[in-house]
Amino acid sequence: MTPCFFGSSERQLFGMHHPAQGAERATGVVLCYPAAQEYMLTHWAFRKLAGMLAREGFHVFRFDYYGTGDSAGEVHEGRVASWVQDIRLAVAELQDMTGVQRVALVGMRLGAALAVRAAAEGLSTAGLVLWEPLVEGAAYLKELELLQTRRATRTLFPQVDSPLEVREELLGFAFPRPLREDILALDLAAMPAWPSTRTHLVASGTKPEYQRLQQHLEATGLPFQNHVVREEGGAGGGQESALLSNRILQTITSLLKEAA
């Protein structure tokens, strides 16, 4: 692994390059993390996926959005539009570092929605892999709210949280109103224009919003495949699948090998 900083001096981002091992492929892969509330829980799975892809000859790049991880900025400065731009910068950085001609995007949860937005706004991609994606912003926020409530009930002195509409913090991270409003506005199944590249939805279970997305894309005639990959032991979807994700990681690797 080779760590690096990229972007501008005013908006410095941190990235990690996993160089291809053996015969290099012409296609690279950029991994797009979920939001800060899920970053630490999924970090191990992303590192493992990056290693698996590198051993298959892919140059892989994972990075921290502005205001998250080791990148500059504070969490409260994060916005959907700026994180989409960070994906564009990460793709350009991987291409400059390695010379790969084509880049596929793999995004999880919010990272999947950001990857779709980047491709829909003109970023050329070799493929999109949406891992347990955020399809409806409102449904996603309800999931985070439920986790917040469960966490509060496990403490000795649970804090009485304000309603989601006015809360400025969620699961220990700043959650400012502008970012919340950005996420509430996301709805992949209602996007009027979708990237023409092949899209794979990979999840450990089914959800109504996944079915909405599938119906939306099938109606447009765009290339799309839905892959339900159940982990051993019956691990659930979302965050739990990130901890026990061997089969999903293998599926993502196989899909990218087929597309490369």
Side-chain angles (χ1 to χ4, degrees), residues 159-177:
Q159 180 180 353
V160 177
D161 291 315
S162 56
L164 180 62
E165 288 74 19
V166 298
R167 179 180 296 142
E168 296 285 335
E169 179 272 336
L170 192 59
L171 294 173
F173 291 87
F175 200 74
R177 289 191 182 190

Side-chain angles (χ1 to χ4, degrees), residues 2-259:
T2 304
C4 67
F5 285 97
F6 64 103
S8 65
S9 57
E10 296 80 14
R11 189 182 176 84
Q12 200 170 60
L13 304 175
F14 175 79
M16 187 72 71
H17 172 222
H18 296 252
Q21 301 175 22
E24 297 183 9
R25 297 179 185 268
T27 299
V29 181
V30 168
L31 305 182
C32 305
Y33 279 105
Q37 284 80 5
E38 300 170 322
Y39 176 90
M40 293 304 297
L41 189 63
T42 59
H43 185 72
W44 174 87
F46 269 69
R47 285 194 59 174
K48 185 174 181 180
L49 176 59
M52 292 170 64
L53 290 169
R55 287 191 290 275
E56 294 293 342
F58 292 98
H59 284 286
V60 185
F61 196 73
R62 53 188 176 89
F63 70 101
D64 297 336
Y65 307 110
Y66 185 75
T68 70
D70 292 311
S71 289
E74 302 295 334
V75 174
H76 63 81
E77 299 178 275
R79 297 293 301 273
V80 163
S82 63
W83 287 347
V84 169
Q85 177 61 21
D86 292 346
I87 292 176
R88 301 178 69 94
L89 292 174
V91 168
E93 182 69 14
L94 178 61
Q95 291 178 317
D96 290 344
M97 292 174 65
T98 65
V100 293
Q101 301 173 5
R102 306 165 70 236
V103 176
L105 301 179
V106 178
M108 184 181 189
R109 301 279 278 167
L110 177 60
L114 298 176
V116 171
R117 280 278 300 270
E121 293 173 9
L123 177 63
S124 178
T125 62
L128 289 170
V129 177
L130 313 182
W131 177 10
E132 306 281 359
L134 178 166
V135 176
E136 301 170 3
Y140 169 79
L141 291 178
K142 286 180 180 178
E143 289 183 39
L144 295 185
E145 171 79 357
L146 179 59
L147 289 173
Q148 173 78 26
T149 301
R150 288 175 177 173
R151 175 179 292 184
T153 60
R154 290 196 298 265
T155 62
L156 292 176
F157 303 99
Q159 180 180 353
V160 177
D161 291 315
S162 56
L164 180 62
E165 288 74 19
V166 298
R167 179 180 296 142
E168 296 285 335
E169 179 272 336
L170 192 59
L171 294 173
F173 291 87
F175 200 74
R177 289 191 182 190
L179 178 59
R180 175 177 55 82
E181 292 168 358
D182 285 351
I183 294 175
L184 281 172
L186 291 172
D187 188 348
L188 301 188
M191 288 179 59
W194 188 273
S196 58
T197 187
R198 178 170 294 279
T199 301
H200 296 277
L201 192 160
V202 181
S204 59
T206 60
K207 292 183 178 180
E209 55 260 41
Y210 295 168
Q211 296 173 350
R212 277 190 63 224
L213 180 59
Q214 182 171 354
Q215 292 169 357
H216 175 63
L217 291 179
E218 288 177 346
T220 65
L222 294 173
F224 172 81
Q225 286 183 298
N226 187 5
H227 309 266
V228 177
V229 184
R230 301 195 184 279
E231 298 291 343
E232 294 181 1
Q239 292 191 349
E240 291 179 359
S241 71
L243 298 176
L244 301 169
S245 53
N246 288 327
R247 288 184 176 176
I248 284 184
L249 299 185
Q250 291 166 1
T251 298
I252 293 173
T253 302
S254 296
L255 292 173
L256 292 172
K257 286 170 60 179
E258 293 172 3

